[in-house]
Amino acid sequence: MINDIKTLFNNSSDLIIKKIKEYTVLYLESLCSSDKINEYILKDIAINNTVTMGPNTKEITKKNIATFLNNGFAIVLSKKIYAIEVKAILDRGINKPEVEISINGPKDALEENIQINLGLIKKRIRSEKLVNVDYTLGKYANTKVSVLYVSGIAKKELVKDVSSKLNNINIDSIKDALVLKKILESNKNTIFPLINTSERPDVISDYLLEGKIAILIDNSPTALIIPSFFVDYINPVTDMYMLSVNVNVLKILRMICLFITLLTPAIYISLINYNQETLQLKILINFTNQRNGVPFPASVEAIIMLIICAILKESDLRFPSSYGSATSILGALIIGEAAVAAGISSPIMIIVIAISFITSLIFNDIEFTNSLRFLRFAFLLSATFLGLYGILIAFLFFILHISSLSLFNYSYVTPLSPFDKVYLENTLIDIKTTKKTKRSKLLSNNIIKKRDHK
Amino acid sequence: MKKIIILILFIIPLCGCDFEELNNLGIVTGLYINYEAGNYETYVEIINDKVNEYKVLPASYIYEGEGKTLDESINNIRNKINKDLYFNHLELLILNYNVLYNDINVINDYLLRSPLISNHIVTLLTNSDISKIASSQSKNNNVTSSFIISLIKSNKKINTLIPSDDYDFKIAELKSKKFTSIGSIEMGSENIYLDNTLIINDHEILLKLNNEDSIIYNSLINKSPITITLDGIELKAKLNSIEFDKDISAKYSLEVISNTKYDLDDVNSLNKITILFNEKMKLNIKNFIKKLQSNNIDLFSLKEKISSYKDYDFNIEVNSKITKKGELVS
């Protein structure tokens, strides 16, 4: 039998086989804790010459040996076959959020262990109504996926849709939540992320209580939120930790930033190449002055600068943080100082690109900022060929595109179309917490939030 | 995808291809035109968009072109510069009297035919040498057109000349052969100066208003505030409304600028001031209207209502109210 197991695991080096007296102990060294093996198995056999049956010990059959070995159990072979749980703790502990940083609010984030992640959410919703349904995905990886929703709040149709989608997934392995996200979004041709992600258990629990569904995946510190809308990327849930009035100012600022980041380079190009009459004479002379000596047409100059900025952003993201500041300084020097001095770019172009770039950083979802970057180029190209008319055409395309998007039968432009006042009050604007007494009809049939006082 | 390609194919030919790199534009801010012996002499003022650190370069360049037609003269200028003439920021048009006598509408028609031209152009007439006016500011390193525009703006405060910068409107007036006013500028021994308003009709200058008339004219037409000094008190008056019929009735609001005589807390004094103002304004308006009547100028389109316009004695009524007494120091 031992030879069969060895063959099954292709003589894997971490498969340890120990023979003590009439017992043979097998385990995968990479998944098991040697302390636990010593304590619960080896000591027991050496002293008592027996395997103590307890809550972590199971008697199994020969065909289950591989499954138990792969899940952090040690197998003890004698007359019978026992599986004893001796899993090693293979996680990095609960850390601070790294992407969804918020000054206020809780500071814990999800990690790679799905049980800990579940615990972090369950300690925020202490109710038997919080349901988690487990799935095993991946033919070889057998990754545990857990779908969370609050029974009585989340719509049953949505739960059913998500469940059938997960059941239809046929793939070797799912390494991360973002891989599952890609699979679920795969039949949509779009640059926009259709499923929101979160690493914050407080945010996830808030979404669950609104009637959304969260998907947790083992070995992934990210949860998927279904359904997600365009406004969710502009207005994060962490806004709830701030005063309504201040948040509303911030929300207006974010909307302005969205348009600035998309349109600034395009509007600048169309104004200086097509619609010069709209600029005041003094500004026009100033711009002309600054562009003197730049060898490229303004649109080429804008594209070059945008590409340099995109490269800088990528290198800054990929580099370890200790090198990150070096690339920033180098980039700032090259773009800000040397490019102007060398006559490759005009100072006004630096300002335009910098404004466009900085305003995009207000949004913390990397997929969303990447889609904004794509759109920025699209608007710029339309402005290069057709001026303000081109921007208008591109903008209509943009509106048409996002209006046509939907996932799990939820329109991407909710709550504007279909109009939903309650969701609007939770996202696009912020009303006082005491007035948030209802859930969106689109997300839940149980729309009253208040607890009954009898 | 097929739809997008078809759409793009349609979009490109449907849009105007007016792409122009900023540095290829010769930004024209002033256009100065003379007409002499069947020839147009045109001067364009192009902004210098190059500066060096010592700022020794001229602020603008004047280019001259001649031709039998305005187009020909402007094309001659185009041959002299390496940039496209860009008229969208044209802010000043100065025409010699001869252009008006010939046909001012030729100029207007040429300028208005292109969509790439500003319609906020201040138009002035001159009897002086137009080339001297065009280059009058080059020695001071100023842009002549901007200098003249700022002269007009500062002149607004004293109300002798307010040329309209709504070019389309002015042209419509000229074309319909209505009586219209136009500002004038002349060259002194060394400097240019703004002259008084001219009343023109159908290629003719009918009247040149004096300072006082210009003030009344601007008050009645443009509702510009005017300053009037009465017995020991100076008032700023703004026309609120005016009705031209067989009678003329005007309503003014008054602001006290200085006062050495009256007790402004006393109702009787306030009444006395308004009566004094009403009488004075009545007289000024009457004199102005009389002057227009004697020259058979119907600026306010009253001929349609009154058949014997030239000899008609208008009953003028002026009402006023003091709205601001100013800060009183007791």
Side-chain angles (χ1 to χ4, degrees):
Chain A
M1 191 194 289
I2 291 168
N3 287 334
D4 290 346
I5 295 169
K6 271 186 176 175
T7 317
L8 192 65
F9 281 85
N10 291 318
N11 291 316
S12 174
S13 62
D14 70 336
L15 179 68
I16 308 293
I17 301 164
K18 287 185 178 175
K19 282 190 178 176
I20 310 167
K21 297 178 184 172
E22 68 269 30
Y23 296 95
T24 307
V25 182
L26 298 104
Y27 60 91
L28 291 173
E29 196 180 16
S30 51
L31 295 178
C32 301
S33 158
S34 54
D35 287 350
K36 285 181 184 173
I37 291 167
N38 283 334
E39 188 68 23
Y40 303 140
I41 305 168
L42 302 182
K43 218 169 160 183
D44 214 19
I45 293 170
I47 298 167
N48 304 326
N49 200 19
T50 180
V51 175
T52 311
M53 291 299 287
N56 294 333
T57 309
K58 289 175 186 171
E59 198 180 318
I60 58 167
T61 55
K62 190 183 167 186
K63 64 176 181 181
N64 292 333
I65 289 176
T67 315
F68 279 94
L69 277 174
N70 281 328
N71 281 291
F73 284 74
I75 305 296
V76 180
L77 304 175
S78 59
K79 286 170 192 164
K80 289 179 180 174
I81 306 170
Y82 300 100
I84 303 161
E85 192 178 341
V86 283
K87 273 179 197 168
I89 298 167
L90 298 174
D91 58 57
R92 58 188 161 99
I94 298 166
N95 290 312
K96 281 186 175 181
E98 283 174 9
V99 183
E100 294 168 88
I101 300 160
S102 169
I103 295 164
N104 304 320
K107 296 284 181 282
D108 52 348
L110 300 188
E111 53 135 313
E112 283 75 7
N113 189 319
I114 193 167
Q115 292 305 333
I116 292 176
N117 293 346
L118 271 170
L120 287 172
I121 295 166
K122 287 207 168 185
K123 82 172 184 186
R124 283 174 170 84
I125 307 174
R126 293 174 191 274
S127 167
E128 69 286 355
K129 299 272 185 191
L130 177 63
V131 181
N132 64 302
V133 182
D134 288 351
Y135 297 81
T136 307
L137 297 183
K139 191 179 168 188
Y140 295 101
N142 289 318
T143 311
K144 189 176 171 187
V145 173
S146 196
V147 174
L148 275 91
Y149 62 93
V150 180
S151 166
I153 294 181
K155 284 198 171 180
K156 283 177 185 166
E157 303 87 67
L158 180 64
V159 178
K160 211 172 148 189
D161 279 356
V162 173
S163 151
S164 76
K165 270 251 177 179
L166 290 176
N167 284 328
N168 288 334
I169 292 171
N170 188 8
I171 194 167
D172 279 359
S173 73
I174 290 180
K175 295 172 196 75
D176 190 76
L178 299 177
V179 178
L180 180 63
K181 178 177 180 276
K182 270 173 77 177
I183 295 167
L184 293 174
E185 288 173 345
S186 60
N187 58 347
K188 305 282 174 184
N189 284 326
T190 180
I191 51 166
F192 292 102
L194 299 178
I195 297 174
N196 204 355
T197 56
S198 182
E199 57 168 352
R200 295 180 66 107
D202 55 324
V203 169
I204 298 164
S205 54
D206 194 76
Y207 277 133
L208 288 172
L209 291 170
E210 289 299 327
K212 293 191 178 185
I213 288 176
I215 301 178
L216 294 176
I217 294 152
D218 203 11
N219 307 319
S220 173
T222 314
L224 304 182
I225 311 293
I226 295 171
S228 301
F229 312 121
F230 188 76
V231 288
D232 294 336
Y233 296 93
I234 308 168
N235 302 288
V237 178
T238 45
D239 282 354
M240 68 184 162
Y241 299 122
M242 288 198 272
L243 278 175
S244 295
V245 181
N246 297 343
V247 166
N248 281 326
V249 174
L250 201 63
K251 281 173 189 284
I252 293 167
L253 201 69
R254 284 201 203 109
M255 285 307 286
I256 295 171
C257 284
L258 177 71
F259 288 103
I260 290 176
T261 192
L262 288 179
L263 301 175
T264 319
I267 288 177
Y268 171 71
I269 292 300
S270 44
L271 288 188
I272 67 161
N273 283 344
Y274 289 90
N275 304 85
Q276 297 94 344
E277 72 280 0
T278 51
L279 294 169
Q280 239 192 357
L281 181 62
K282 280 182 183 169
I283 296 174
L284 188 71
I285 295 167
N286 194 0
F287 284 2
T288 317
N289 229 320
Q290 293 188 32
R291 277 204 41 76
N292 275 326
V294 178
F296 310 111
S299 43
V300 174
E301 187 191 348
I303 290 168
I304 290 174
M305 295 313 290
L306 277 176
I307 290 172
I308 292 175
C309 276
I311 293 169
L312 266 176
K313 189 186 169 190
E314 281 307 303
S315 59
D316 212 23
L317 278 175
R318 311 286 167 228
F319 255 51
S321 58
S322 51
Y323 292 105
S325 59
T327 51
S328 306
I329 293 163
L330 194 69
L333 275 175
I334 288 171
I335 295 176
E337 200 64 40
V340 175
I344 293 167
S345 178
S346 56
I348 182 68
M349 184 60 83
I350 304 284
I351 294 169
V352 166
I353 301 297
I355 288 173
S356 167
F357 198 71
I358 290 165
T359 44
S360 76
L361 300 178
I362 207 163
F363 310 106
N364 58 13
D365 190 294
I366 189 83
E367 287 285 338
F368 188 68
T369 44
N370 285 347
S371 58
L372 293 183
R373 180 171 63 193
F374 180 93
L375 278 177
R376 200 180 301 135
F377 275 105
F379 277 116
L380 182 62
L381 286 175
S382 326
T384 303
F385 292 113
L386 303 167
L388 285 176
Y389 172 67
I391 296 179
L392 182 74
I393 297 283
F395 199 77
L396 286 175
F397 264 111
F398 164 64
I399 298 287
L400 269 175
H401 178 65
I402 61 166
S403 316
S404 66
L405 289 174
S406 68
L407 196 68
F408 294 108
N409 298 325
Y410 283 91
S411 166
Y412 196 48
V413 285
T414 309
L416 295 175
S417 172
F419 184 75
D420 186 72
K421 188 171 170 265
V422 179
Y423 201 77
L424 191 89
E425 285 173 351
N426 286 342
T427 50
L428 268 183
I429 50 169
D430 193 72
I431 57 164
K432 282 183 181 173
T433 314
T434 48
K435 288 185 180 173
K436 287 180 185 172
T437 54
K438 286 181 180 175
R439 281 183 200 92
S440 164
K441 274 182 193 171
L442 292 169
L443 295 171
S444 177
N445 292 326
N446 175 9
I447 60 164
I448 305 296
K449 269 186 184 175
K450 271 186 178 174
R451 187 186 288 177
D452 294 331
H453 293 284
K454 287 179 184 174
Chain B
M1 198 61 194
K2 213 186 276 176
K3 282 178 194 166
I4 291 173
I5 293 167
I6 292 169
L7 197 68
I8 289 168
L9 286 176
F10 272 98
I11 286 168
I12 292 172
L14 284 175
C15 74
C17 293
D18 46 4
F19 173 89
E20 200 68 70
E21 231 3 278
L22 204 55
N23 299 81
N24 293 338
L25 300 178
I27 304 163
V28 179
T29 56
L31 185 60
Y32 311 88
I33 304 170
N34 188 20
Y35 184 75
E36 200 91 59
N39 241 13
Y40 281 96
E41 272 175 42
T42 307
Y43 298 86
V44 293
E45 184 168 32
I46 294 174
I47 296 284
N48 176 19
D49 56 23
K50 289 186 177 69
V51 284
N52 61 12
E53 54 186 309
Y54 305 108
K55 294 193 174 174
V56 288
L57 295 170
S60 64
Y61 297 103
I62 305 287
Y63 290 92
E64 185 201 353
E66 268 188 56
K68 295 272 178 219
T69 62
L70 183 61
D71 186 50
E72 198 180 311
S73 65
I74 289 178
N75 278 338
N76 280 337
I77 298 170
R78 284 197 172 101
N79 295 336
K80 293 175 188 172
I81 58 168
N82 60 350
K83 292 187 172 191
D84 290 334
L85 287 181
Y86 180 71
F87 287 97
N88 249 322
H89 279 90
L90 179 65
E91 52 182 6
L92 181 70
L93 173 67
I94 297 185
L95 307 169
N96 193 278
Y97 281 4
N98 295 336
V99 177
L100 175 75
Y101 299 146
N102 178 43
D103 190 357
I104 196 168
N105 287 330
V106 172
I107 312 290
N108 301 329
D109 186 70
Y110 179 83
L111 294 180
L112 289 179
R113 213 156 272 278
S114 166
L116 299 173
I117 195 158
S118 156
N119 58 359
H120 292 288
I121 311 167
V122 172
T123 315
L124 297 173
L125 286 177
T126 186
N127 203 20
S128 309
D129 184 347
I130 208 137
S131 65
K132 282 187 181 168
I133 290 183
S135 55
S136 62
Q137 289 305 307
S138 57
K139 60 178 182 291
N140 301 332
N141 219 5
N142 279 339
V143 178
T144 307
S145 54
S146 302
F147 177 78
I148 294 172
I149 296 291
S150 56
L151 260 189
I152 292 166
K153 279 181 183 163
S154 60
N155 195 273
K156 259 187 184 176
K157 288 168 193 161
I158 53 166
N159 291 304
T160 51
L161 174 94
I162 302 181
S164 164
D165 66 353
D166 197 336
Y167 191 63
D168 289 5
F169 178 71
K170 199 79 339 301
I171 300 318
E173 274 188 345
L174 285 168
K175 276 194 170 174
S176 64
K177 296 191 177 174
K178 275 186 177 177
F179 293 91
T180 186
S181 65
I182 197 159
S184 66
I185 189 164
E186 300 300 343
M187 187 78 202
S189 54
E190 279 192 12
N191 294 318
I192 45 175
Y193 64 92
L194 291 173
D195 211 353
N196 283 319
T197 308
L198 303 167
I199 306 294
I200 61 170
N201 180 245
D202 199 14
H203 308 172
E204 256 189 272
I205 297 171
L206 301 175
L207 179 68
K208 189 173 196 173
L209 301 177
N210 62 25
N211 259 5
E212 263 188 24
D213 292 337
S214 291
I215 291 168
I216 299 296
Y217 170 78
N218 283 329
S219 169
L220 297 181
I221 298 284
N222 301 320
K223 292 190 175 180
S224 310
I226 55 173
T227 310
I228 283 201
T229 310
L230 298 167
D231 180 26
I233 188 163
E234 203 178 349
L235 297 164
K236 190 176 178 183
K238 192 171 186 312
L239 183 74
N240 289 336
S241 66
I242 188 159
E243 283 173 25
F244 291 101
D245 202 353
K246 289 190 176 174
D247 296 332
I248 296 171
S249 110
K251 283 179 184 167
Y252 279 90
S253 56
L254 307 176
E255 190 182 321
V256 178
I257 296 173
S258 71
N259 168 41
T260 52
K261 193 173 175 183
Y262 296 95
D263 175 9
L264 296 178
D265 289 330
D266 178 29
V267 180
N268 291 331
S269 299
L270 294 178
N271 285 338
K272 200 177 169 188
I273 294 166
T274 51
I275 289 166
L276 276 173
F277 172 82
N278 294 348
E279 288 304 317
K280 172 97 175 170
M281 272 315 288
K282 211 164 146 178
L283 193 68
N284 286 346
I285 295 172
K286 187 135 195 151
N287 289 340
F288 177 65
I289 299 280
K290 278 271 175 229
K291 199 173 207 172
L292 295 179
Q293 282 176 296
S294 63
N295 286 287
N296 205 13
I297 296 169
D298 184 18
L299 263 182
F300 306 109
S301 305
L302 295 169
K303 271 185 180 173
E304 294 163 9
K305 293 168 188 165
I306 299 150
S307 52
S308 54
Y309 170 73
K310 204 172 177 183
D311 305 315
Y312 189 80
D313 188 19
F314 284 96
N315 181 26
I316 295 162
E317 197 185 313
V318 176
N319 288 308
S320 60
K321 192 182 174 186
I322 296 176
T323 51
K324 277 185 186 173
K325 296 177 198 170
E327 283 187 20
L328 302 174
V329 182
S330 56

